[in-house]
Amino acid sequence: MLNIGLLGLGTVGTGIVQILEERKKYLEKLIKQEISISKILVKDIDKKRDIEIDKEKLTTDIYEIIEDDNIDIIIEVLGGLDNPYYYIKEALNKGKDVITANKAVVAKHLEELTNLAKAKNKSFLYEASVGGGIPIIKPLKEQVNINQIQEIRGILNGTSNYILTKMISENLDFQEALETSQRLGYAEANPTDDIEGYDTRRKLRILSTIAFKDKIDEEDISCYGINSINFSDIKNIKSMSCTVKLLGTAIVNDNKYYASVEPVIVSQNSYFSKVDDANNLVSFIGDNVGELRFFGEGAGRFPTANAVLSDLIDITSNTYQRNCFLENSELDNINELYRGKYYMRINVKEDTKDKIEKYIVDNEIIEDMIEKKDSIAFTTKLISKKKLEKLIDIFMIDSKNYFVARLEV
Ligand SMILES: NC(=O)C1=CN([C@@H]2O[C@H](COP(=O)(O)OP(=O)(O)OC[C@H]3O[C@@H](n4cnc5c(N)ncnc54)[C@H](OP(=O)(O)O)[C@@H]3O)[C@@H](O)[C@H]2O)C=CC1
Ligand SMILES: N[C@@H](CC=O)C(=O)O
């Protein structure tokens, strides 16, 4: 009998219970043992749930699960950082395999938890932490054994992609699109993580660490989100016959790497422009295999639960490299040297409009002025982002009052 301790019965946890029920017979035949969810950790036992569940199985006491020697595997789908980190550590220490969808914990503690799992001869798997339902961690781990990965690029956040899609194709306003994505179960408990790019940054940190065999920290990745985009940006981007996507990019070359999360304006021909709604697309380039692209639903109940259960099958059938092989390649970060062309819109007061215009001309920033009314919008020459950051600092522009996106057209 395989006994599972499930931590969390929200969007993802409910999907896990539903799929396990529906596929029970087939899965039990596959792994040659019965499967039982023995206990489920929740915050509120009496909460009304989308599924029928035996209340006897619910607990608010983590130790009822962690201290239970009959429980073999812990699946953590709680969300948050400190509690789940502690629970995962305790579970590994007690000799249990662990699966999580929690990118916040994986991004912060990947090396420590991987090493602990190795030391205990247990698995620590986290396929659902990047790309929702897309199998990406497993193929990446397989390919790093035979390839040097040179580049990873991706739409890695379903919520922000959903918002951008709805703003562009249905003229929905930002708040309305965000609220719908929350209702659909895509957004994090705190959607700031989605719209300010932090969720994408966590996922890029996980992918690039595995791919480049070096510890790429969240702090090593420059991060801009989509929270300040407005309809005038959408109108300007459409007038370029382009669209905009929140992209995570990490490139390594000659022991140096660049890593960023930022809105990127892409042409209609770019494969990223075709990725709508909460879908994700991840591409990586290996020196032997060339470019591989992975597309699918990046968030939501069933895709994410599906990714969690793929890890479960891998653990129980022993078909999988248990833990990734982390090395230390000692790459240097060159984010500050990276140069690009950008689109920028700044909301301006009448008295600063001309000063900003003079500054961007004198400092050889501006290429074309797109709009000069209540806001000024322009495209830049090929410059470092530092030059734009300096402009923001000098004129003390609040983050609500500007939007910047790299041009990839
Ligand atoms: N939603 C998605 O599309 C995706 C989510 N993820 C990740 O999966 C994880 C879960 O996400 P999701 O299912 O959306 O989250 P939800 O907020 O829908 O569910 C969280 C669950 O955890 C329980 N819980 C939360 N805090 C505690 C606590 N302190 N003690 C006990 N129980 C607690 C809640 O209990 P109760 O029900 O009683 O309130 C709830 O059942 C997160 O890490 C998220 O980042 C990853 C990929 C996609
Ligand atoms: N909030 C996340 C959920 C999946 O990781 C997203 O929108 O992508």
Side-chain angles (χ1 to χ4, degrees):
M1 167 83 85
L2 176 78
N3 288 305
I4 298 170
L6 179 61
L7 314 188
L9 189 59
T11 303
V12 184
T14 303
I16 291 168
V17 174
Q18 285 175 293
I19 300 177
L20 273 179
E21 263 169 26
E22 199 175 307
R23 297 257 154 179
K24 194 171 168 44
K25 275 203 184 123
Y26 176 81
L27 289 173
E28 289 182 340
K29 208 168 150 196
L30 181 76
I31 69 167
K32 299 186 184 74
Q33 51 185 327
E34 283 179 47
I35 303 174
S36 160
I37 298 184
S38 309
K39 277 278 168 201
I40 306 176
L41 182 74
V42 291
K43 222 183 318 191
D44 176 4
I45 291 188
D46 297 318
K47 184 169 165 181
K48 193 170 170 319
R49 310 218 168 245
D50 295 354
I51 47 167
E52 293 261 322
I53 197 95
D54 175 4
K55 276 203 182 163
E56 289 293 303
K57 288 199 173 206
L58 304 185
T59 179
T60 54
D61 179 4
I62 183 66
Y63 291 101
E64 268 193 44
I65 299 178
I66 286 183
E67 301 284 351
D68 184 341
D69 291 335
N70 292 318
I71 291 182
D72 313 287
I73 295 190
I74 297 289
I75 298 179
E76 186 276 309
V77 285
L78 293 166
L81 186 58
D82 294 339
N83 284 342
Y85 161 62
Y86 175 73
Y87 302 159
I88 290 172
K89 231 167 106 164
E90 283 291 288
L92 288 169
N93 274 321
K94 294 266 178 217
K96 301 180 194 307
D97 292 300
V98 174
I99 299 166
T100 183
N102 188 329
K103 42 275 155 96
V105 171
V106 181
K108 186 111 185 165
H109 303 290
L110 175 61
E111 290 75 12
E112 182 196 347
L113 295 173
T114 300
N115 290 333
L116 178 58
K118 270 184 198 158
K120 297 284 173 186
N121 204 20
K122 290 287 143 191
S123 300
F124 172 59
L125 298 187
Y126 41 87
E127 183 60 67
S129 68
V130 181
I134 305 173
I136 180 65
I137 304 279
K138 183 175 176 176
L140 183 59
K141 282 185 190 170
E142 285 166 352
Q143 293 309 315
V144 292
N145 294 328
I146 30 179
N147 282 270
Q148 279 203 341
I149 308 296
Q150 300 151 345
E151 186 179 307
I152 302 172
R153 279 151 58 79
I155 295 175
L156 297 169
N157 183 265
T159 303
S160 54
N161 202 55
Y162 184 86
I163 295 171
L164 292 175
T165 304
K166 295 298 164 195
M167 286 181 84
I168 287 171
S169 56
E170 292 173 28
N171 292 328
L172 238 63
D173 80 31
F174 189 100
Q175 197 52 35
E176 208 179 337
L178 171 60
E179 280 164 19
T180 313
S181 75
Q182 286 176 300
R183 267 200 308 282
L184 292 169
Y186 303 149
E188 295 303 302
N190 178 359
T192 304
D193 290 351
D194 296 295
I195 61 178
E196 296 196 0
Y198 306 133
D199 181 75
T200 301
R201 183 167 70 170
R202 288 176 187 135
K203 291 166 176 168
L204 189 64
R205 130 76 170 144
I206 298 167
L207 293 180
S208 54
T209 295
I210 297 170
F212 302 157
K213 298 184 174 168
D214 197 11
K215 185 176 185 202
I216 311 296
D217 271 322
E218 287 173 69
E219 297 71 36
D220 299 323
I221 301 173
S222 79
C223 187
Y224 285 79
I226 59 156
N227 44 308
S228 61
I229 194 167
N230 68 19
F231 273 120
S232 91
D233 301 315
I234 299 288
K235 183 185 84 235
N236 292 333
I237 291 164
K238 278 186 180 173
S239 75
M240 299 177 203
S241 302
C242 288
T243 190
V244 61
K245 297 290 176 189
L246 184 67
L247 290 192
T249 307
I251 300 170
V252 77
N253 190 8
D254 206 12
N255 281 336
K256 299 182 178 60
Y257 75 94
Y258 160 79
S260 78
V261 172
E262 60 190 350
V264 178
I265 295 173
V266 294
S267 79
Q268 307 286 0
N269 297 328
S270 155
Y271 49 76
F272 287 116
S273 75
K274 317 275 186 302
V275 180
D276 284 341
D277 298 327
N279 290 310
N280 282 190
L281 190 149
V282 191
S283 133
F284 63 80
I285 300 178
D287 56 349
N288 297 316
V289 75
E291 182 177 11
L292 293 174
R293 286 180 209 157
F294 301 77
F295 169 85
E297 289 184 55
R301 174 177 295 183
F302 292 111
T304 312
N306 195 76
V308 169
L309 292 174
S310 324
D311 281 344
L312 183 78
I313 292 171
D314 280 328
I315 290 176
T316 48
S317 48
N318 235 335
T319 51
Y320 186 28
Q321 168 187 344
R322 283 193 154 172
N323 300 298
C324 69
F325 186 60
L326 296 167
E327 288 177 61
N328 189 357
S329 320
E330 298 190 351
L331 303 176
D332 291 329
N333 185 301
I334 51 158
N335 282 358
E336 296 220 335
L337 302 177
Y338 188 84
R339 284 151 62 87
K341 287 190 167 196
Y342 297 91
Y343 160 88
M344 187 170 205
R345 185 254 316 146
I346 309 173
N347 298 340
V348 280
K349 295 205 182 84
E350 204 51 48
D351 55 333
T352 47
K353 198 183 288 185
D354 291 337
K355 288 184 194 150
I356 292 182
E357 186 177 7
K358 181 170 180 335
Y359 182 90
I360 58 180
V361 171
D362 290 353
N363 287 279
E364 296 188 4
I365 292 174
I366 186 167
E367 180 140 294
D368 284 318
M369 185 64 87
I370 299 178
E371 180 180 304
K372 193 179 162 197
K373 293 184 214 140
D374 296 341
S375 57
I376 58 174
F378 54 94
T379 57
T380 74
K381 298 178 192 297
L382 192 66
I383 57 168
S384 72
K385 209 164 203 179
K386 250 190 136 183
K387 253 186 157 172
L388 290 180
E389 282 162 359
K390 196 167 168 196
L391 159 74
I392 291 157
D393 282 351
I394 288 177
F395 288 93
M396 292 189 290
I397 305 164
D398 188 273
S399 60
K400 297 193 295 290
N401 285 325
Y402 72 90
F403 174 72
V404 62
R406 189 160 57 76
L407 287 164
E408 202 173 273
V409 288

